[in-house]
Amino acid sequence: MTALYITLIILAVIMLLLIIPADCVIDISYNDKMDGGIFIKYAFVRLKIFPTEKEKEEIEEDVKEGEKDAKEDARKGEKKIKDILRLVKAVYEELRHDIFDLIAHLFCKTIRIKELNISSRFGIGDPMYTGIAIGGANTIVYNVISTVDRHMQLDKWNVSLNADFDNLCVSAGVYCKIRTRGIYILKLGMMAAILLLKIMKISRRIKSNG
C-alpha cells in the first residue's frame, strides 16, 4: 500500500505541475534607450530571460570579433546553404500541412494572451507627415490586433498611439502577458517531436540521394 500511496502522490504532483499556469511577460519600452525585459513566471519562480545591458555589450563585442571569421566561413558554407535550401523545399512540399497544424495548435490552443497593451508617442517634425504616419500606424496596429483577436485567445487589449505634431520624437512601450500550461506544452512538444522525426527522415533521404 505504501508504494501505491507514493505513486499516487507523484502522479498528483506531476498533474499539479502540468495544470499550474505559466506566464511569459513581455514588458519593453523605448525612450532614447531600451528598457524593461522578458520574464517567465511559473508558480513562485520569476526568471528574467531578456539580456541585461552587460550581456548585450558582450554580444556586440563577440559579433565584432567574429566578423572576420564569419566572412571566411561564408565562403565555405555555400554548399551547406544549398543543402539547407533543398531540405527546406522538401519539408515544405511534404509536411506543410503538419507545419501549419503545429502553428495553429500553438497560437490557437497552447497560448492565451491575457493582456496586451501597446502605447507610443512620436512626431516627425512636420504636422502633415506626422498625421499621415499616425494614420498609417493606427491602421496597421488595429488590423493586427483584429486578426489576433479573431484567431487567438485574447482576453484584454488596449492601444494608445499618440502624435506629437510639434516635435521630432519617438517613444513606445509594449506589455504582453502570455499564459499557457504544462499540459499544453507537453502536447505541443509531442507534435513537434513527431514533426522533427519526419524532417530527419527527409534529411537522410536527401543525403542518400546526393
Side-chain angles (χ1 to χ4, degrees):
M1 291 297 292
T2 304
L4 177 61
Y5 291 147
I6 294 174
T7 303
L8 291 175
I9 291 172
I10 293 174
L11 290 175
V13 171
I14 293 174
M15 289 301 300
L16 181 63
L17 292 175
L18 289 176
I19 63 175
I20 290 177
D23 296 332
C24 175
V25 177
I26 303 171
D27 188 4
I28 300 175
S29 61
Y30 174 81
N31 189 3
D32 295 330
K33 66 176 184 178
M34 195 72 70
D35 196 13
I38 302 176
F39 306 87
I40 297 294
K41 296 181 179 179
Y42 181 72
F44 301 105
V45 179
R46 187 173 185 270
L47 177 65
K48 183 177 182 180
I49 61 175
F50 189 77
T52 62
E53 291 296 328
K54 182 179 179 180
E55 290 172 337
K56 286 192 288 186
E57 291 175 0
E58 292 176 352
I59 291 171
E60 290 175 357
E61 291 177 0
D62 292 339
V63 169
K64 291 179 180 178
E65 292 176 358
E67 284 180 352
K68 295 180 180 179
D69 296 335
K71 291 179 181 178
E72 296 178 0
D73 293 340
R75 297 174 183 174
K76 300 177 181 178
E78 290 182 0
K79 186 178 182 299
K80 292 182 180 179
I81 293 174
K82 292 179 180 178
D83 293 340
I84 292 173
L85 291 176
R86 288 174 59 196
L87 176 61
V88 170
K89 181 181 178 181
V91 168
Y92 178 77
E93 290 177 349
E94 298 183 30
L95 303 177
R96 60 178 179 272
H97 295 297
D98 298 280
I99 294 172
F100 291 147
D101 288 343
L102 181 65
I103 295 173
H105 188 82
L106 170 63
F107 288 107
C108 299
K109 297 182 180 180
T110 303
I111 62 176
R112 185 185 195 97
I113 301 177
K114 300 293 293 182
E115 186 175 354
L116 174 62
N117 294 317
I118 300 174
S119 62
S120 72
R121 184 175 185 82
F122 64 91
I124 300 178
D126 184 292
M128 183 182 71
Y129 290 115
T130 300
I132 294 173
I134 192 68
N138 273 283
T139 301
I140 293 172
V141 171
Y142 279 103
N143 281 335
V144 171
I145 293 293
S146 176
T147 302
V148 171
D149 194 22
R150 286 198 307 270
H151 299 287
M152 297 178 62
Q153 302 178 76
L154 178 59
D155 293 345
K156 180 182 178 182
W157 64 272
N158 180 63
V159 175
S160 177
L161 304 179
N162 301 308
D164 189 332
F165 292 98
D166 300 320
N167 302 302
L168 177 64
C169 61
V170 176
S171 62
V174 175
Y175 178 87
C176 182
K177 184 177 182 180
I178 302 171
R179 173 163 294 181
T180 187
R181 298 180 190 274
I183 192 166
Y184 300 147
I185 297 294
L186 181 62
K187 183 178 180 181
L188 184 70
M190 293 174 63
M191 293 175 64
I194 294 172
L195 181 61
L196 181 61
L197 290 174
K198 292 181 180 179
I199 293 174
M200 292 174 63
K201 183 178 179 180
I202 294 173
S203 177
R204 287 194 297 267
R205 188 188 68 208
I206 291 175
K207 289 181 179 178
S208 63
N209 292 337

